[in-house]
Structures are given as C-alpha cells and as structure tokens.
Amino acid sequence: MSVVEGSTRPPSSASPPRVLIIGAGSRGRTYASAVASSTNGVVAAVAEPDDYKRNRFGETMVWGSQAPPPEGAAFADWRDFITYETRRRARVEAGERDVPPGVDAAFVCVLDEMHREVVVALSSLGGLHIMCEKPLATTLEDCVKMYKALESNKIAGGQQAVFSIGHVLRYSPHNMLLRKLVLQDRVIGDILSVVHTEPVGWWHFTHSYVRGNWRRESTSAPSLLTKSCHDIDVLLWLLCSPADCSVQDCPPPHLPSTVTSTGSLQYFKRNRKPAEAGTATNCLSCPAESDCKYSAKRIYVEKQLAGVESGNKRWPLSIVLPDIESYGSETEAKQAMLAELAKDYDADTPDSEVARRNWFGRCVYESDNDVCDEQVVTISWDDDPLPGNDERNNRHAKTAVFHMVAHTKKICDRYTHLYGVDGEIFADSTTITIEDFRTGQTTVHRPAVESHSHGGGDTGLTRQFILAVDKVKNHGWSTDRAQRELIGCTLEEVIRSHAMVFCAEAARRGKKVVDWPEWWASQVQAKSTKVAA
C-alpha cells in the first residue's frame, strides 16, 4: 500500500471527490474533519435523523451559515438520499439543465446494526465508492450479504467500486512501520508468536459497554466484534496477509489452522455490587455514589475525568447529551447533564424500552449489559510454505494471542509483543523497540503521530480512501489498482477478519478449539461461493 503522508491537503483535482456522510455522530464528524483537513475531497452532504446534529454538522462542514441548506446537501434519513439521488440521476439522463452534482463516495457511520441495510442499498443504487465504519455488520450472515452486494456495486464502465472498512489501525504510521519492519525488513526473522493487548479502560468500558450503545448482544453484538474486530484484523494483517499486495499476482494468504477463546462478563454484574449501595439503581440516588469510582457524576459532570466541569464538550459528553454545545453556560450544561443522568427504569419498564436507549446514570452493577469485559483469543498457524526461494515464502508455524481487558488505566493504548527467531519487538502506542539477538543491539523507532485519534489511523484511512476515489475519478486509475495500492485491503480480507471474530465467539461459547479451514468452509464459503479460501 502506497501512502501519502503529511498533514497538508494534497492539490485539488479539477473535480474534487464529493462525499456524503451518513450519520453525524462522533465517527461521522471525525471522518468529515479528516476529509476537510487532510484530503482534496469535499464534504458535500449529510444524512442524519437528529435535527440538531444534522444542522450543526451541515453548518460547520457543508453549507456554512447560509440557510436553508442547498439542494442535495441535507437528508433526515439515508433513504431520502437514495430517493433523491435516483431522481437526480433521472433528471441528468433526461437532459435537464442546472441539476446539482451528485456525490462520488459515502461514509457509512450509522449504528452497527444498520450497516447492512445502508450498504446494501447504496450498492444497489450503484456507482458510489463506500467506506463503512467497523464492524462491517453484527452477524456473519449480514457480512456475507454485504460482501455479495458490494461485489455488484459497479461504477460507470463496469468496474467494481472502491470499498474501505473502518479498520483504522492499519493506517496509523505506527502500525504501518511495524508491518514493514516485520514483513518486509524481517528485522526479527520468522515470527514465532505475537501477544497483543487492547486495554479498553476502566471507565471507558462502562461508558460504551455497560451503559452505552454496545452493552447488549441482542441490540448490538459481542464486545469482541464491536470493540476489537480491528485488533483481530491487525493480527491477520501482520501474520496472514502477504507482505506486498500492491501487485496483481499477490501470493495467497497464510491461513490459520485453529482458533480458541475464553472470556466472560466477570465484573459488571449485580453480585459485584457494594453492599453500601443498597437497592439504588441510579448514581444520583445512591448512598455510595460519592465513594464509587464508576459514579456517573464523577465521569460526566466533575472535573477529574472528562466531565462538564473540565470544559469538555466532545466525547463522551456529546454521546450523553448530543446538543451539549448549544448550552450557553457551564451551569446550564451541568443542569442538562444531571437531568439526563437522572433518567432510570424499573421492573415495570418494558424491556423493549430499556433496550431502545442508553442509560448513562444507571448503576454499573444494575445495568442490562451482558457482553464480555474480559476475553482472550488464541489463533494458531501450521507450516504452509510457498514455492520459490524467497525467505518470505517459508511460512512457518506461529501463534497469536489477543487479550481484551476492561480494567486498565490505559484507554485503547494498545501494546504488542512480537517474538521472532532473530529477536523480539515491543510496540506500544508511541514506540517500536527492537531487540536483535544477532547483534545485541536495541533499536527504538518513534513514528510521527499525526493525530491522537487511533494514532493517526482515522486521518490515514480517510486520506487513502479519498485519494483512491480521486485517482479513479480524475486520473484514469482502475478501481482494482486503487483498491490494491491505496486501500491495501480486499473484500476477502474484510470478511476474513470479521469471520475470525465470529469463529472465536463460537469457540468461546462451545469451550472448544475450532478447526479454522473447516469452519470457514461451512460457515462462509458454503453461503457465498464467491468468497475465496
């Protein structure tokens, strides 16, 4: 994958890529900001059901202070965009003059469980390049359906449109250098094992996976998917994908042989509730609130973490109170936040109502969460050499261990140990330290960090996606070339890394070691004959 580096915007093309953002939440805003700051693309439209979010996003990213929004720039529902774009194309076909230009690409940043419906509809519309936030979908069946739909998404001329997934860890300068050192430079020789940890963060986990959107499998998915699917993807990127896939005759991947997993919801449940909390179900009415580290007031109101009193108006406060920026004073914002945190449910509240929304003031020991707060996944590979004398063809047995842990001070600051025959590497979020057994030397790399959002991965992914769209639209590139050289990830890789998560969950639930080739053949290939082995 060739990469354009640097924080300045590349030169504008004659017809810059025009982008639609579907979902104006934190991820949609992040990608839109990256488009504006680091690409030659233009955020041209937004689809968002919340009036405040849509208008605020539009005023800051699309149409500025003018009112009302121009035609084709604002949609209350993504379906409205589909309807509008279908009619707009018909108007162009009919020769109507002064029809507003359409968009070239869409960023899909809606709730995880909506991804399949939106991506399938955009693919059926045809002609748009698509970037979908991770995870691709919340079930393996939906992932396979999306794969089929994306294969049928053709641009003018019949080429398959460019597709990217929000596996932003692939695009951080840190991880790109790590992959080069391991696979191309082979600084520690053949890899024997990798141990990779994602520390979610003790209060971050409660925000997203106990009180927030991703707390229940029935309304979302397992936490291994919603939180860690791009960690599993990075492991496969390092240990499964070939060193260089920018060429058309890319060698086949080194596929795993077995998968197993253990984990559970260990802590955030009723039998862990402190006795002094009594029967309280909400932080604002709890006698133990002032001494509880998970107090919603401590997290969302007070100064010590990221509360209103710290001056923060972004994540996580904007998730709890989407219109927090509209309050004129800190006092008003605190009052609105406390009112939101006071909302609660009881035994008479229908489960459908409980599941429908988030409850950020709810006691973390009395919530309706059921996803794992601790999980370990182990993936193994057998010897599988390729023909030829290139040492990279000598694909030997190896093992990867992934650990997702909630109770940490670190918040998503991942760290990785890689053990090779000639040395070892320790990589945290800022440095890559190589110990060379042959020379006894220690080498430390400190890759530049363009932004703190996933180590620059959000910006990197956005830049590569828009560059791919631009090369296809304005510079005569085939979409296949743009996919290989700029996106650096195929549809098959996207499906494989998601399937690995579902396979690990099957292993965890069944308390067994799963044969990966057999599982892939029965659960994926049998349901979509187009998916390669």
Side-chain angles (χ1 to χ4, degrees), residues 224-286:
L224 184 65
L225 182 76
T226 57
K227 186 70 186 85
S228 304
C229 66
H230 51 0
D231 292 275
I232 298 297
D233 178 72
V234 160
L235 287 172
L236 297 184
W237 187 48
L238 288 172
L239 301 174
C240 179
S241 300
D244 183 8
C245 272
S246 63
V247 295
Q248 286 185 308
D249 55 344
C250 187
H254 186 187
L255 297 174
S257 56
T258 66
V259 182
T260 190
S261 180
T262 58
S264 64
L265 173 57
Q266 293 186 163
Y267 184 71
F268 296 107
K269 50 189 179 181
R270 187 167 294 160
N271 65 7
R272 294 280 196 163
K273 185 179 182 181
E276 55 269 28
T279 59
T281 59
N282 185 278
C283 288
L284 272 61
S285 59
C286 178

Side-chain angles (χ1 to χ4, degrees), residues 19 49 80-81 204 207 269 286 383 485 523:
V19 175
D80 295 340
F81 165 75
H204 176 207
H207 169 74
K269 50 189 179 181
C286 178
D383 288 333
E485 295 189 19
Q523 300 300 314

Side-chain angles (χ1 to χ4, degrees), residues 320-331:
V320 184
L321 205 64
D323 60 347
I324 189 169
E325 293 184 9
S326 68
Y327 294 95
S329 69
E330 181 182 297
T331 299

Side-chain angles (χ1 to χ4, degrees), residues 13 60 82 98 103 141 199 204 213 228 245 259-260 264-265 273 301-302 309 328 348 358 378 387 412-413 493 531:
S13 296
T60 57
I82 298 290
D98 300 323
V103 295
E141 180 182 8
H204 176 207
N213 283 333
S228 304
C245 272
V259 182
T260 190
S264 64
L265 173 57
K273 185 179 182 181
V301 177
E302 296 173 3
E309 292 177 353
D348 295 327
N358 297 325
T378 303
C412 302
D413 289 336
E493 287 181 281
V531 180

Side-chain angles (χ1 to χ4, degrees), residues 125-139:
L125 179 66
L128 295 182
H129 307 288
I130 299 172
M131 202 302 294
C132 181
E133 180 53 83
K134 67 89 180 168
L136 186 63
T138 57
T139 69

Side-chain angles (χ1 to χ4, degrees), residues 1 3 170-180 237:
M1 177 172 61
V3 178
R170 284 181 176 235
Y171 300 90
S172 72
H174 178 280
N175 288 336
M176 294 179 72
L177 175 58
L178 177 63
R179 188 173 193 267
K180 178 181 181 295
W237 187 48

